[in-house]
């Protein structure tokens, strides 16, 4: 089965909109695991508009599966990772004011920088994943950093899915094949949902993990969190 890591940023967004501790981020993280998620993802940003750095410290000791921290490798972010020691770090090229992740790394242009960061995290036994688009040459450069995995940015797939899902998924099939041939694990994330996830998973069963937040939390408003996590897990079963 492809693993499901639930991104809980949106829970923090709701909480922050009113102050206080409703909804309780720590309880939601624990419940997602209880309901079957194989990991929890957090993406702290410099302005702390959703996940705060303090949240990461609060959540870390409660996680019994895997904790994945996403973010741009600023000095503060690197310091956070080194203190928290998550299972996995996903490096994204977001500008500080980015609304959400919308592109992968230019791995060739950032090769030295990424290599140094991967080496640092590896020294603490932290698995690394580099957020990339489906450009094959770029993936080859990402592999040169000695990262453990790459995460494929699935925004373009989600955008094109309803028009022509076969065409939408083609570059992801080729990208995943290359990633595996290079000896790396392959994750995927961004705008995956109950609409497009099952086809993605059944077409590319070599995916190791998907990270899903926005759509899953929105669906939970209608179906409830427990049922929603179960529905997403059902989409990821290898048939």
């Amino acid at each position: 089965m492809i693993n499901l890591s639930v991104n809980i940023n949106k829970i923090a967004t709701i909480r922050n909109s009113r102050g206080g501790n409703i909804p309780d981020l720590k309880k939601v993280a624990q419940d997602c695991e209880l309901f079957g998620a194989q990991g929890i993802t957090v993406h702290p940003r410099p302005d702390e508009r959703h996940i705060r750095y303090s949240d990461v410290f609060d959540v870390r000791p409660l996680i019994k599966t895997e904790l994945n921290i996403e973010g741009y490798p600023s000095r503060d972010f690197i310091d956070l990772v080194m203190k928290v020691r998550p299972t996995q770090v996903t490096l994204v090229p977001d500008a500080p004011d980015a609304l959400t992740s919308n592109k992968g790394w230019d791995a060739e242009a950032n090769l030295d920088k990424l290599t140094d960061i991967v080496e640092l995290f590896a020294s603490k036994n932290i698995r690394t994943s580099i957020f990339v688009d489906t450009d094959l040459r770029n993936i080859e450069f990402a592999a040169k950093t000695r990262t453990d995995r790459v995460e494929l940015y699935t925004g373009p797939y989600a955008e094109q899915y309803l028009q022509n899902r076969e065409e939408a998924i083609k570059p992801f099939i080729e990208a995943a094949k290359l990633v595996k041939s290079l000896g790396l694990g392959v994750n995927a994330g961004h705008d995956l949902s109950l609409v497009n996830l099952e086809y993605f998973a059944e077409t590319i069963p070599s995916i190791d993990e998907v990270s899903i937040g926005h759509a899953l939390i929105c669906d939970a408003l209608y179906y409830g969190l427990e049922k929603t996590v179960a529905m997403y897990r059902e989409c990821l079963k290898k048939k």
Side-chain angles (χ1 to χ4, degrees):
M1 180 174 181
I2 299 170
N3 285 344
L4 169 66
S5 185
V6 177
N7 186 318
I8 58 173
N9 276 25
K10 282 296 181 292
I11 299 299
T13 302
I14 297 170
R15 177 202 62 189
N16 295 352
S17 69
R18 288 289 297 270
N21 194 41
I22 299 175
D24 186 330
L25 189 79
K26 293 188 288 186
K27 187 175 189 307
V28 171
Q30 291 176 297
D31 285 344
C32 286
E33 288 188 317
L34 179 65
F35 300 150
Q38 293 99 342
I40 300 296
T41 291
V42 293
H43 188 154
R45 295 180 185 274
D47 61 6
E48 297 192 320
R49 64 179 180 267
H50 33 62
I51 293 291
R52 301 167 182 151
Y53 275 43
S54 61
D55 290 327
V56 183
F57 288 103
D58 289 343
V59 167
R60 180 67 183 105
L62 305 176
I63 302 302
K64 299 186 185 332
T65 55
E66 293 193 350
L67 177 63
N68 171 47
I69 302 180
E70 296 180 348
Y72 179 82
S74 65
R75 185 69 261 169
D76 287 344
F77 180 83
I78 292 172
D79 288 344
L80 173 72
V81 169
M82 296 298 282
K83 291 174 182 175
V84 173
R85 305 280 184 89
T87 314
Q88 177 176 271
V89 175
T90 301
L91 302 174
V92 298
D94 295 354
D97 60 348
L99 179 64
T100 185
S101 302
N102 57 16
K103 64 178 179 179
W105 283 96
D106 181 337
E108 181 177 5
N110 293 278
L111 182 60
D112 291 342
K113 174 180 181 176
L114 291 172
T115 300
D116 289 345
I117 296 168
V118 168
E119 182 179 353
L120 176 64
F121 291 158
S123 72
K124 300 300 181 183
N125 296 315
I126 301 169
R127 187 171 74 224
T128 55
S129 179
I130 295 177
F131 196 63
V132 296
D133 300 303
T134 54
D135 180 83
L136 301 183
R137 186 172 185 273
N138 191 56
I139 289 173
E140 290 176 343
F141 273 95
K144 293 178 186 293
T145 68
R146 299 185 180 177
T147 186
D148 301 288
R149 297 183 181 183
V150 299
E151 178 172 332
L152 299 177
Y153 167 55
T154 50
Y157 164 75
E159 290 175 8
Q160 300 171 36
Y161 177 83
L162 293 178
Q163 286 73 41
N164 189 329
R165 67 181 191 178
E166 291 81 8
E167 286 299 315
I169 205 167
K170 275 184 180 179
F172 293 89
I173 294 172
E174 294 306 311
K177 285 180 181 177
L178 175 60
V179 172
K180 286 298 185 181
S181 74
L182 293 169
L184 305 181
V186 55
N187 298 341
H190 201 84
D191 289 341
L192 295 174
S193 68
L194 291 175
V195 173
N196 57 45
L197 180 60
E198 184 172 6
Y199 179 71
F200 189 86
E202 70 183 12
T203 307
I204 315 178
S206 61
I207 297 289
D208 293 292
E209 172 189 292
V210 294
S211 176
I212 304 177
H214 183 80
L216 189 151
I217 300 304
C218 290
D219 287 330
L221 296 175
Y222 292 92
Y223 303 119
L225 187 59
E226 181 173 6
K227 183 176 180 181
T228 299
V229 171
M231 292 168 74
Y232 274 83
R233 287 196 66 198
E234 183 63 28
C235 290
L236 296 170
K237 285 184 179 178
K238 296 180 180 179
K239 303 191 168 65

